[in-house]
């Protein structure tokens, strides 16, 4: 699009100078000001209720009505004092965003009495009319009721003038309709199994939590440009666009200085995040132009995930104020780095130990090795499930592309830890060890922190990498709810630890000493899960071949990957660990494939609309100009001169004609493919048809449009180009 037109648009959405409401105080003065956290509970609740509620939260026990009433009263008093007029149950339906329904605190009785109405009942449970949220068939219209129920483990907070209460969302029949319910269940399963494992080493451990530190990548797009790109507005990604002459080749953006306007945006959303008690810590530019990242300090996984969704929301809102649109799509621009949400994950005890951090004693390191090896094994056995947990229409464009981990799930441990596991494999055997052998092994195990200290190799090509004191699940997409991969990972590791505990117990009961039993089981696991460990370049072709030889799966197709949600193996796993019932699993499968199909359907329609209404007419206009020009040349030049001079133009006219015909032809064929797909009776068939019959046209049509973009007069081109989208700030 001609620059002058873009300028005009920019003026239209004039960029007023934005006053950041920068509090004069230091962040520590306003941190958490909008959260009903412990200090506020202490202030607004009686000592007795405060102790009861904190105890119930810590031990995940039931909160009775009397306590709920008191908590509601305290919460209400605090919220109204902070200027809140409404309250809402805030939950995570099976979409990519959160949902809420606001009710006013104020109630007026039929006789005109005014009172503020919010009690234990309203805190604990609500029945939102959310019948249009996806349920995967769990809620038929005759039993359409869904309930939200208070999650006391995540504190209530105020956004604007509304008190938001984090809740789970379940059906009338008690089935999960959200992400939070199974996330909490998976955390409980992990707690149970991991605490038991910890008891092998330390009897004081009574609880294990999962920790999550997410790194959120995103693009910032100028609002004026965004509004001139219908594809961005409707699908969150560009469906066409030729690569900019300059993009990320120079890699000068990464960690470069942050542009002023962006800085202002970041400063403001961070202030908002701080007020909500979200410990955002790092901010920097990412690899691609206009791409950035923010990351908080890690927290307990359920809270961290609430905070991630909340931050995404805050960013969207603050972005608008700064005339930016925040893109969380995994691959908004072809050929340009996509956006991930790296999930840094670990487990921690109530005694303050990070279970994936090597200690400085042989005993703590045995515990570390136990959790490390069990996690590796869990990832190996459940690779397809983990993959299914992160695939989506958006992430499909990112994964497997040159800058993102491939579809193959593998684990990176680093040279020294790999060597350590190889060593254990060789030195432990089923024969009892001699005291000398034992001492030597213990000494070596005790040395782990030393070797890790200089373990600086960080493999960025691995989808699941150990990074010194945690695993980093890097295949997670930027736009989705991290609960999905966290549910899969927690459940897989919980089951694995459960099996481990059993095996150690069985072996011990045959007279093998406990520490030897642990070592023997670990050795067996190390051997069994060797195939999933990969230290090399995950982006390379050789790895694909090698992975196949090792029997690892490489499921690139989204509908195929999602089938794991109905594979017997995983349905059983979730049932056994009481995380999702078979019916709930199936519902999730339905929701996921349906969502994938809908995204493709929308993209297909938007692409065809733009191709036919924007691109083809523009190309014809330019072609007509060329034809006029050639006609004129014919008039003024001799036949020979005309032949020499007009040939390049004639070629161009032919080229444009060809692209126009192809675009029209392919768009029509795509429409027919869509029609055929829509007529198929089964949802699963429809999805497959969309993936294999409709989607391939996207690239074909785009190819011709992008070619036209290069030859058609820039002044006529109807859409902002990559260079304008990516380099404006
Ligand atoms: P990098 O970009 O090098 O991967 P960052 O500092 O951007 O690292 O992000 C690392 C993330 O990992 C942060 O959110 C950090 O709090 C988190 N993290 C650190 N330790 C743990 C842990 N034990 N459990 C979960 N997350 C952790
Ligand atoms: Mg990282």
């Amino acid at each position: 699009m001609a620059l002058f037109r873009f300028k005009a648009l920019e003026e239209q959405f004039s960029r007023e100078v934005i006053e950041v409401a920068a509090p004069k105080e230091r962040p520590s003065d306003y941190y958490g000001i909008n959260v009903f956290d412990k200090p506020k509970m202490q202030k607004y609740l009686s000592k007795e209720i405060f102790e009861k509620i904190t105890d119930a939260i810590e031990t995940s026990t039931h909160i009775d009505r009397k306590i709920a009433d008191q908590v509601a009263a305290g919460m209400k008093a605090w919220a109204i004092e902070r200027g809140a007029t409404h309250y809402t149950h805030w939950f995570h339906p099976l979409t990519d965003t959160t949902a809420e329904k606001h009710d006013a605190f104020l109630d007026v009785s039929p006789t005109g009495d005014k009172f503020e109405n919010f009690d234990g009942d309203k805190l604990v449970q609500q029945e939102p009319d959310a019948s249009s949220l996806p349920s995967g068939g769990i809620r038929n219209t005759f039993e359409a009721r869904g309930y939200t129920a208070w999650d006391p483990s995540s504190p209530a907070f105020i956004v604007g003038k509304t008190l938001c209460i984090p809740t789970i969302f379940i059906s009338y029949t008690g089935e999960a309709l959200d992400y939070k319910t199974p996330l909490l269940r998976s955390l409980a399963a992990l707690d149970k199994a991991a605490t038991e494992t910890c008891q092998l080493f330390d009897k004081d451990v009574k609880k294990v939590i999962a920790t999550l530190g997410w790194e959120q990548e995103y693009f910032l797009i100028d609002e004026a440009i965004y509004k001139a790109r219908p594809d961005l507005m409707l699908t969150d990604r560009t469906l066409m666009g030729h690569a900019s002459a300059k993009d990320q080749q120079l890699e000068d953006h990464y960690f470069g200085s942050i542009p002023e306007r962006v800085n202002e945006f970041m400063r403001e959303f961070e202030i908002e995040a701080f007020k909500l008690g979200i410990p955002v810590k790092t901010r920097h530019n990412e690899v691609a132009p206009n791409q950035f990242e923010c990351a908080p300090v890690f927290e307990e996984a359920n809270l961290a995930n609430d905070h991630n969704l909340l931050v995404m929301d805050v960013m969207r809102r603050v972005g608008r104020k700064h005339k930016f649109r925040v893109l969380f799509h995994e691959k908004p621009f072809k050929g340009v780095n996509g956006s991930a949400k790296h999930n840094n994950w670990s487990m921690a005890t109530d005694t303050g130990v990070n279970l994936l951090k090597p200690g400085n004693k042989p005993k703590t390191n045995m515990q570390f090795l136990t959790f490390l090896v069990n996690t590796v094994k869990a990832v190996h056995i459940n690779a397809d499930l983990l993959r299914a947990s992160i695939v989506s229409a958006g992430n499909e464009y990112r994964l497997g592309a040159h800058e993102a981990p491939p579809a193959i799930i593998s684990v990176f441990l680093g040279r020294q830890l790999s060597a350590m596991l190889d060593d254990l494999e060789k030195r432990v055997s089923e024969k009892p060890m001699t005291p000398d052998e034992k001492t030597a092994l213990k000494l070596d195990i005790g040395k782990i922190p030393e070797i890790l200290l200089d373990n600086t190799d960080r493999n960025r090509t691995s989808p699941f990498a150990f990074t010194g004191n945690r695993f980093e699940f890097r295949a997670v997409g930027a736009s989705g709810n991290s609960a999905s991969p966290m549910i899969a990972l927690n459940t897989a590791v919980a089951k694995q630890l459960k099996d481990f505990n059993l095996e150690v117990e069985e072996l011990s009961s045959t007279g093998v000493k406990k520490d030897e039993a642990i070592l023997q089981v670990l050795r067996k696991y190390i051997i069994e899960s060797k195939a999933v460990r990969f230290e090399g370049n995950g982006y390379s072709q050789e790895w694909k071949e090698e992975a196949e030889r090792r029997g690892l799966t490489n499921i690139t197709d989204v509908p195929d990957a999602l089938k794991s949600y109905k594979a017997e193996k995983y349905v059983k796993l979730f049932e056994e660990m009481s995380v999702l019932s078979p019916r709930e699993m199936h519902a999730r499968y339905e929701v996921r494939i349906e969502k994938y199909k809908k995204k493709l359907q929308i993209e297909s329609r938007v692409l065809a609309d733009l191709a036919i209404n924007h691109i083809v007419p523009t190309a014809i206009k330019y072609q007509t100009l060329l034809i006029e020009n050639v006609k004129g040349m014919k008039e003024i030049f001799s036949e020979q001169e005309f032949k020499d001079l007009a040939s390049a133009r004639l070629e161009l006219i032919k080229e444009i004609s060809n692209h126009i015909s192809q675009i029209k032809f392919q768009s029509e064929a795509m429409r027919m493919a869509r029609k055929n797909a829509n007529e198929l009776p089964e949802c699963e068939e429809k999805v497959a048809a969309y993936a294999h019959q409709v989607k391939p046209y996207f690239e074909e049509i785009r190819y011709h449009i992008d070619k036209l973009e290069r030859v058609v007069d820039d002044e006529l081109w109807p859409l902002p180009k990559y260079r304008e989208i990516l380099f404006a700030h």
Side-chain angles (χ1 to χ4, degrees):
M1 186 167 79
L3 215 53
F4 73 90
R5 283 196 41 206
F6 157 54
K7 281 265 177 271
L9 262 173
E10 197 175 61
E11 270 152 34
Q12 190 187 325
F13 298 103
S14 79
R15 259 193 226 162
E16 65 237 44
V17 181
I18 285 147
E19 287 281 328
V20 178
K24 298 204 174 46
E25 316 95 272
R26 283 166 309 182
S28 56
D29 295 331
Y30 55 84
Y31 187 83
I33 196 167
N34 287 336
V35 190
F36 193 62
D37 52 13
K38 268 194 184 166
K40 266 137 229 152
M41 283 195 212
Q42 232 158 353
K43 190 169 161 203
Y44 287 85
L45 303 178
S46 70
K47 187 163 178 281
E48 186 205 342
I49 297 295
F50 171 76
E51 275 164 10
K52 280 196 175 145
I53 180 92
T54 39
D55 184 60
I57 292 170
E58 266 151 35
T59 53
S60 315
T61 45
H62 181 72
I63 294 168
D64 72 42
R65 245 318 289 278
K66 235 182 70 212
I67 301 177
D69 268 340
Q70 305 258 2
V71 175
M75 216 184 249
K76 184 177 77 179
W78 165 75
I80 290 174
E81 230 172 88
R82 293 263 336 130
T85 53
H86 287 68
Y87 65 91
T88 180
H89 275 195
W90 180 83
F91 57 103
H92 309 187
L94 295 171
T95 62
D96 287 337
T97 48
T98 54
E100 50 206 70
K101 177 192 154 229
H102 299 199
D103 283 305
F105 281 122
L106 185 74
D107 239 343
V108 183
S109 74
T111 51
D113 293 335
K114 293 189 232 86
F115 55 94
E116 252 119 24
N117 178 13
F118 181 71
D119 56 12
D121 267 349
K122 301 229 160 46
L123 167 67
V124 171
Q125 202 176 67
Q126 271 195 10
E127 193 186 329
D129 176 27
S131 50
S132 55
L133 292 169
S135 75
I138 279 189
R139 285 190 313 166
N140 297 316
T141 36
F142 62 87
E143 50 170 42
R145 282 189 289 170
Y147 288 108
T148 50
W150 180 31
D151 166 20
S153 63
S154 183
F157 53 89
I158 294 175
V159 172
K161 291 194 176 305
T162 303
L163 168 69
C164 303
I165 299 149
T167 54
I168 56 166
F169 179 42
I170 50 173
S171 73
Y172 179 53
T173 46
E175 279 147 325
L177 294 170
D178 66 348
Y179 285 109
K180 198 190 252 284
T181 308
L183 177 63
L184 290 171
R185 291 178 189 156
S186 75
L187 289 164
L190 185 66
D191 174 19
K192 184 160 182 272
T195 303
E196 207 176 294
T197 310
C198 285
Q199 296 253 332
L200 293 170
F201 305 94
D202 181 356
K203 294 276 180 227
D204 288 342
V205 175
K206 296 284 177 292
K207 189 175 169 71
V208 172
I209 58 164
T211 51
L212 165 64
W214 42 264
E215 298 162 57
Q216 178 73 56
E217 294 177 342
Y218 60 96
F219 280 86
L220 279 182
I221 306 299
D222 182 90
E223 182 166 272
I225 296 178
Y226 175 85
K227 290 196 170 168
R229 287 284 316 212
D231 48 355
L232 271 183
M233 286 179 68
L234 298 172
T235 72
D236 285 335
R237 76 178 185 107
T238 54
L239 300 172
M240 55 196 66
H242 200 276
S244 165
K246 174 183 190 281
D247 50 39
Q248 61 195 52
Q249 313 91 324
L250 298 177
E251 301 196 333
D252 48 1
H253 183 68
Y254 195 54
F255 282 125
S257 71
I258 298 173
E260 195 45 41
R261 184 177 163 210
V262 175
N263 224 334
E264 285 299 287
F265 156 77
M266 287 179 173
R267 218 160 64 82
E268 188 172 350
F269 96 66
E270 283 169 9
I271 290 170
E272 290 308 313
F274 281 158
K275 288 189 195 162
L276 286 164
I278 305 172
V280 284
K281 194 168 167 73
T282 60
R283 47 154 102 141
H284 61 77
N285 291 357
E286 261 303 323
V287 182
N290 275 4
Q291 192 190 25
F292 306 91
E293 178 189 296
C294 94
V297 178
F298 70 93
E299 300 173 288
E300 186 279 323
N302 173 43
L303 182 62
N305 192 46
D306 277 357
H307 281 170
N308 176 242
L309 292 157
L310 202 46
V311 155
M312 288 167 80
D313 201 46
V314 169
M315 285 165 79
R316 284 193 197 100
R317 272 188 292 118
V318 175
R320 281 183 179 230
K321 225 170 125 183
H322 292 257
K323 307 284 179 209
F324 277 129
R325 285 307 159 99
V326 184
L327 290 188
F328 291 114
H329 193 281
E330 284 77 14
K331 193 79 180 173
F333 307 102
K334 187 181 167 183
V336 176
N337 230 60
S339 299
K341 175 145 57 196
H342 298 166
N343 279 193
N344 294 272
W345 174 92
S346 187
M347 292 158 281
T349 66
D350 55 349
T351 53
V353 175
N354 172 359
L355 292 167
L356 289 174
K357 185 174 188 270
N360 48 14
K361 289 191 223 89
K363 194 167 145 195
T364 34
N365 273 349
M366 269 308 293
Q367 181 171 286
F368 158 72
L369 277 178
T370 298
F371 281 93
L372 181 91
V373 170
N374 273 289
T375 306
V376 173
K377 180 134 196 301
V379 173
H380 184 220
I381 308 178
N382 300 289
D384 290 350
L385 173 70
L386 289 169
R387 166 109 184 110
S389 76
I390 51 95
V391 293
S392 66
N395 219 5
E396 185 179 18
Y397 295 107
R398 185 180 78 93
L399 296 177
H402 66 90
E403 91 290 354
I408 309 158
I409 298 284
S410 64
V411 180
F412 169 84
L413 288 181
R415 201 156 33 89
Q416 283 97 335
L417 267 184
S418 289
M420 179 82 215
L421 297 198
D422 291 343
D423 187 47
L424 268 184
E425 184 190 325
K426 281 194 217 95
R427 284 169 57 187
V428 179
S429 71
E430 272 141 46
K431 294 197 300 279
M433 277 186 260
T434 66
D436 278 355
E437 279 170 339
K438 255 192 194 168
T439 312
L441 190 65
K442 277 192 181 157
L443 273 177
D444 283 348
I445 291 174
K447 281 184 200 143
I448 298 175
E450 267 168 56
I451 54 177
L452 280 189
L453 225 48
D454 48 56
N455 181 4
T456 45
D457 48 347
R458 293 200 57 178
N459 188 324
R460 298 213 163 259
T461 67
S462 174
F464 202 89
F466 186 72
T467 51
N469 57 5
R470 62 188 185 269
F471 277 101
E472 183 171 346
F473 194 9
R474 306 181 64 245
V476 183
S479 73
N481 189 321
S482 285
S484 178
M486 290 296 101
I487 292 164
L489 185 58
N490 293 337
T491 308
V493 174
K495 162 74 175 147
Q496 183 50 51
L497 290 170
K498 185 180 165 193
D499 289 351
F500 172 81
N501 297 339
L502 260 174
E503 286 196 60
V504 170
E505 197 186 306
E506 271 169 21
L507 212 55
S508 304
S509 69
T510 63
V512 180
K513 279 214 159 110
K514 195 181 75 185
D515 56 349
E516 275 204 48
I518 293 171
L519 278 169
Q520 280 183 24
V521 177
L522 288 183
R523 174 175 181 265
K524 188 172 120 224
Y525 288 179
I526 291 169
I527 297 168
E528 285 167 358
S529 59
K530 216 170 181 174
V532 83
R533 277 161 47 201
F534 178 62
E535 303 287 301
N537 178 5
Y539 300 171
S540 67
Q541 183 55 35
E542 295 86 73
W543 170 229
K544 287 192 190 139
E545 289 155 19
E546 167 69 15
E548 199 181 334
R549 278 195 294 276
R550 292 188 187 188
L552 301 181
T553 48
N554 182 10
I555 311 171
T556 52
D557 192 68
V558 173
D560 282 348
L562 287 174
K563 289 205 174 104
S564 293
Y565 273 61
K566 51 174 208 171
E568 202 191 334
K569 174 180 166 186
Y570 297 127
V571 173
K572 276 199 169 137
L573 166 74
F574 279 96
E575 193 178 21
E576 180 188 337
M577 302 314 288
S578 305
V579 174
L580 287 166
S581 70
R583 203 164 109 102
E584 289 172 321
M585 273 294 267
H586 193 77
R588 250 143 244 263
Y589 171 69
E590 295 269 315
V591 170
R592 297 278 302 274
I593 56 170
E594 180 71 19
K595 182 153 99 190
Y596 179 70
K597 189 210 82 182
K598 279 188 185 150
K599 292 231 159 145
L600 292 187
Q601 190 173 36
I602 295 169
E603 287 191 355
S604 165
R605 286 187 183 146
V606 173
L607 174 61
D609 276 0
L610 280 178
I612 304 300
N613 298 332
H614 287 59
I615 307 301
V616 168
T618 306
I620 292 177
K621 212 181 277 171
Y622 182 57
Q623 188 195 33
T624 311
L625 281 176
L626 287 174
I627 293 170
E628 290 299 322
N629 176 264
V630 171
K631 277 190 191 155
M633 284 172 84
K634 196 160 192 167
E635 271 173 36
I636 61 170
F637 290 118
S638 72
E639 201 167 308
Q640 188 50 47
E641 277 174 320
F642 176 77
K643 243 183 159 171
D644 293 344
L645 293 170
S647 65
R649 252 155 282 200
L650 287 168
E651 272 309 308
L652 190 54
I653 292 170
K654 268 196 221 155
E655 194 187 321
I656 293 175
S657 301
N658 177 42
H659 291 312
I660 293 173
S661 310
Q662 283 297 330
I663 291 171
K664 292 203 83 155
F665 172 73
Q666 310 263 14
S667 299
E668 183 51 25
M670 179 167 74
R671 196 180 65 80
M672 288 309 293
R674 227 166 46 219
K675 192 163 168 280
N676 290 339
N678 292 340
E679 277 164 10
L680 292 168
E682 293 293 324
C683 184
E684 213 166 54
E685 290 173 302
K686 272 191 195 140
V687 177
Y690 264 96
H692 306 128
Q693 255 88 74
V694 178
K695 189 167 168 260
Y697 284 109
F698 295 2
E699 268 309 298
E700 298 233 357
I701 297 171
R702 177 183 190 140
Y703 170 83
H704 295 288
I705 296 176
D706 291 356
K707 286 280 180 212
L708 283 173
E709 187 188 309
R710 291 184 70 180
V711 296
V712 170
D713 184 356
D714 185 54
E715 230 165 79
L716 296 177
W717 197 252
L719 302 170
K721 295 181 175 175
Y722 270 23
R723 63 163 185 265
E724 291 155 346
I725 308 175
L726 289 169
F727 289 93
H729 26 236

